[in-house]
Amino acid sequence: MVIYLSIGVLIKLAMTEKEARERIEAAESEAKGIIERAREKAREILSEDNIEALKSQFVEKFKKELSASRELEEFEDEEMERLGLIDDRELREIAEALLEVILG
Amino acid sequence: MSSVESLVESIRREGEDRARKIINDARAEAERIIKEAEERAKRIAEERASIEIETIKRRLLDARKRQLMMDKIKIKDANFKRLREILVAKIMDVVKGRDKRWDYTKILYSLIKEAVVQIGENEVIISANRRDLDFIKSHIEEIEERLRSDIGGSIKLRVGDVVDIIGGVICRSVAGDKVHNATIDGRIEEVIRRLSVKIYRRLGMMSQNKFRSMIIELLRTVEGEVTVRDATGRELVIEAAEDIEVMVGEDIRIDVVCKEKSGRIMAVYTTLGMATMDKLDRFLASVGKLEKDWGVRVEKLVFIAFSGAQDDVARRMVDQGVYLIMREQLARLADKIGVELF
């Protein structure tokens, strides 16, 4: 099949193709910029300052959690519980036994 | 639309589509780069934080342990101080004649006799508090006569200085080279020092590990069978042990697992504190776990609570078939086994 195109049409086609190419090139350039900026941001994210700041956040969060957790309270052991329960009645019983030893 | 216009439109659309795809791909790639960086930064930060967190945790726990140890020492000292106060008050009742069970004049005489014997000379200078010294002065001949009769020889007492003591005497030879302290104050200190380990035990002032070890030793000493009534009045028979193990971990707490000679298994929970619902729940859950993991049946469950138990806990123990042993029953059990526990 033979298609006959006028020069005007050919020029129009060529110009449209050029426009399309230019748009693609502009997009490629913009894409390059987007990726470059992303890499820049990634470098910033991985910078020593940012990692240290993140680390401090984790440490702070842990400290808050720890103070609210039972981990430290578990040391409130049974010896301590016992010590807190000793009263005068028990001490009087022992004092009575000691009295016998001292004066007996 | 003519075919040329449609071709132009198609070229334009294709170009736009490609351009859009390029931008979209780039955005997706950018997002991936940033996300990866964020994840990596998080990983690195977490890794570094975990080292610091571990150090902080250890430091906090060490500080807490140290603080607890100091608190325990303070409470123990306070208990001992209070015990001494109560003891002194009781002794003052005796010394001042308010406690009719004791005759202080007899005690005073035995202290004088002890001091005179220790000095070992015929003439002795006696110092005491004002009240005792007045008594000695007013009964000096009587005391000398009794000493002569009890010890033999000729004993001469000379009244010395007034000293600030609760009771008893301090005697010295006339030359001053021999001194004997027969004061109540000295006795108190000496007895408290000599019996401090027993006092500590009787008050349950020991670590949980020490308490558990005491119970294990007690159970190891059982020969044949020992029967004791628990705190709810039920009869508990304990047989000689063939094997004893401790099962204490994060998710299990059975202080003593005792395989008796008959093959029966007894599980024991020991606490210096009070029996509480929480502790009982933990014990029952631990026994359930032991039965499941080992494929055995625990036939006797014993809960030893040094500081006692609330009524509702004791009732629940009866319902669950758990024997409750408190300090009183423990002392009785030790007596039956022949071990001096307190």
Side-chain angles (χ1 to χ4, degrees):
Chain A
M1 192 176 72
V2 179
I3 301 168
Y4 295 98
L5 297 169
S6 69
I7 293 206
V9 169
L10 282 173
I11 289 169
K12 195 172 182 184
L13 283 175
M15 279 180 71
T16 309
E17 266 185 10
K18 189 174 173 259
E19 270 172 32
R21 210 168 34 248
E22 278 170 0
R23 192 158 293 173
I24 290 166
E25 278 169 8
E28 279 172 349
S29 167
E30 195 187 333
K32 214 173 156 189
I34 289 171
I35 289 173
E36 201 41 59
R37 280 195 298 279
R39 287 197 177 124
E40 182 58 36
K41 197 172 175 194
R43 273 193 292 276
E44 208 176 282
I45 290 168
L46 287 165
S47 71
E48 197 55 30
D49 285 355
N50 190 56
I51 288 175
E52 276 302 303
L54 266 177
K55 186 199 80 181
S56 302
Q57 279 176 21
F58 286 134
V59 171
E60 280 310 307
K61 191 175 163 227
F62 165 77
K63 278 185 189 169
K64 274 184 197 154
E65 281 171 5
L66 185 70
S67 62
S69 79
R70 286 175 51 86
E71 199 159 351
L72 289 179
E73 286 170 25
E74 277 174 15
F75 279 97
E76 300 291 346
D77 58 10
E78 291 170 18
E79 182 183 358
M80 197 60 171
E81 185 193 343
R82 171 66 204 147
L83 289 174
L85 290 168
I86 295 170
D87 57 13
D88 270 11
R89 184 188 54 79
E90 281 183 61
L91 294 174
R92 268 197 294 273
E93 273 176 30
I94 295 190
E96 193 56 42
L98 291 178
L99 189 71
E100 297 281 339
V101 180
I102 291 165
L103 304 179
Chain B
M1 192 186 282
S2 73
S3 60
V4 171
E5 276 174 344
S6 126
L7 187 60
V8 165
E9 188 51 39
S10 149
I11 292 167
R12 191 174 288 135
R13 204 180 306 119
E14 201 179 304
E16 276 172 4
D17 286 351
R18 248 185 94 186
R20 203 177 298 116
K21 188 175 181 307
I22 288 167
I23 299 288
N24 285 345
D25 286 353
R27 282 187 183 140
E29 175 67 4
E31 219 170 87
R32 189 192 61 76
I33 289 169
I34 291 170
K35 199 176 165 207
E36 251 182 42
E38 280 173 347
E39 281 170 0
R40 198 164 155 224
K42 194 180 166 208
R43 255 196 328 271
I44 297 170
E46 273 178 343
E47 214 168 275
R48 288 187 193 174
S50 73
I51 298 166
E52 200 168 307
I53 283 168
E54 219 25 68
T55 313
I56 292 170
K57 204 166 154 183
R58 213 171 22 247
R59 208 175 51 227
L60 283 171
L61 292 180
D62 284 349
R64 184 81 187 103
K65 276 185 193 170
R66 264 198 311 277
Q67 184 59 49
L68 250 171
M69 208 183 291
M70 295 303 293
D71 288 350
K72 282 179 191 172
I73 291 170
K74 271 189 202 161
I75 298 176
K76 283 177 187 174
D77 286 350
N79 279 333
F80 250 82
K81 191 173 169 231
R82 181 73 190 126
L83 174 64
R84 194 177 269 108
E85 282 170 8
I86 293 172
L87 183 59
V88 167
K90 279 183 178 288
I91 286 175
M92 289 307 285
D93 283 347
V94 173
V95 167
K96 292 188 172 173
R98 289 192 293 255
D99 186 340
K100 301 295 176 203
R101 296 172 301 165
W102 300 91
D103 181 349
Y104 180 62
T105 55
K106 279 187 186 168
I107 294 165
L108 185 61
Y109 172 74
S110 74
L111 290 169
I112 294 169
K113 191 172 102 179
E114 173 200 309
V116 169
V117 168
Q118 289 301 318
I119 297 289
E121 291 188 9
N122 288 341
E123 197 166 356
V124 171
I125 300 169
I126 293 189
S127 295
N129 64 31
R130 165 81 53 208
R131 189 190 52 248
D132 289 351
L133 213 52
D134 286 348
F135 176 83
I136 292 165
K137 258 189 220 166
S138 58
H139 295 77
I140 200 149
E141 283 171 12
E142 198 183 311
I143 297 167
E144 283 172 342
E145 183 53 41
R146 213 171 144 197
L147 285 170
R148 276 193 286 274
S149 146
D150 288 349
I151 307 167
S154 162
I155 308 291
K156 175 90 185 130
L157 298 179
R158 271 167 55 179
V159 174
D161 301 327
V162 171
V163 283
D164 185 19
I165 53 174
I166 295 168
V169 292
I170 299 170
C171 292
R172 61 186 163 87
S173 60
V174 177
D177 57 338
K178 293 177 191 171
V179 179
H180 184 78
N181 184 332
T183 61
I184 299 282
D185 312 56
R187 285 273 173 100
I188 293 172
E189 293 314 313
E190 190 266 321
V191 166
I192 285 182
R193 197 173 51 245
R194 183 159 50 88
L195 299 180
S196 63
V197 173
K198 280 190 177 182
I199 296 170
Y200 266 82
R201 278 187 177 196
R202 179 131 174 217
L203 285 172
M205 295 205 296
M206 63 186 102
S207 70
Q208 178 61 32
N209 283 346
K210 175 76 191 162
F211 184 54
R212 184 187 298 127
S213 303
M214 272 173 59
I215 301 298
I216 290 173
E217 269 317 296
L218 188 68
L219 294 174
R220 277 196 210 285
T221 319
V222 174
E223 285 174 3
E225 263 185 24
V226 178
T227 305
V228 69
R229 283 201 183 278
D230 84 337
T232 64
R234 289 168 295 162
E235 212 167 67
L236 168 66
V237 181
I238 296 175
E239 296 170 35
E242 192 179 278
D243 192 19
I244 286 179
E245 285 202 38
V246 175
M247 294 184 76
V248 178
E250 267 182 31
D251 57 345
I252 196 159
R253 163 83 185 264
I254 304 177
D255 293 273
V256 191
V257 180
C258 183
K259 189 180 173 198
E260 295 178 327
K261 289 242 161 83
S262 65
R264 291 200 296 180
I265 293 177
M266 172 171 74
V268 184
Y269 188 101
T270 70
T271 176
L272 280 164
M274 296 261 296
T276 62
M277 287 293 188
D278 278 354
K279 288 177 190 169
L280 179 58
D281 283 341
R282 193 170 177 203
F283 180 41
L284 293 172
S286 298
V287 170
K289 188 170 167 26
L290 170 75
E291 288 184 324
K292 195 176 157 210
D293 292 353
W294 285 20
V296 292
R297 201 173 100 75
V298 176
E299 292 184 51
K300 252 183 285 179
L301 280 79
V302 181
F303 199 109
I304 302 178
F306 191 93
S307 303
Q310 285 158 342
D311 287 348
D312 53 346
V313 182
R315 270 196 300 277
R316 191 163 156 230
M317 284 191 192
V318 174
D319 293 344
Q320 301 274 352
V322 180
Y323 292 97
L324 172 62
I325 300 286
M326 304 197 299
R327 190 177 51 177
E328 198 187 324
Q329 293 81 38
L330 195 57
R332 210 174 300 138
L333 180 65
D335 273 353
K336 285 198 172 184
I337 296 171
V339 171
E340 198 185 357
L341 205 55
F342 306 124

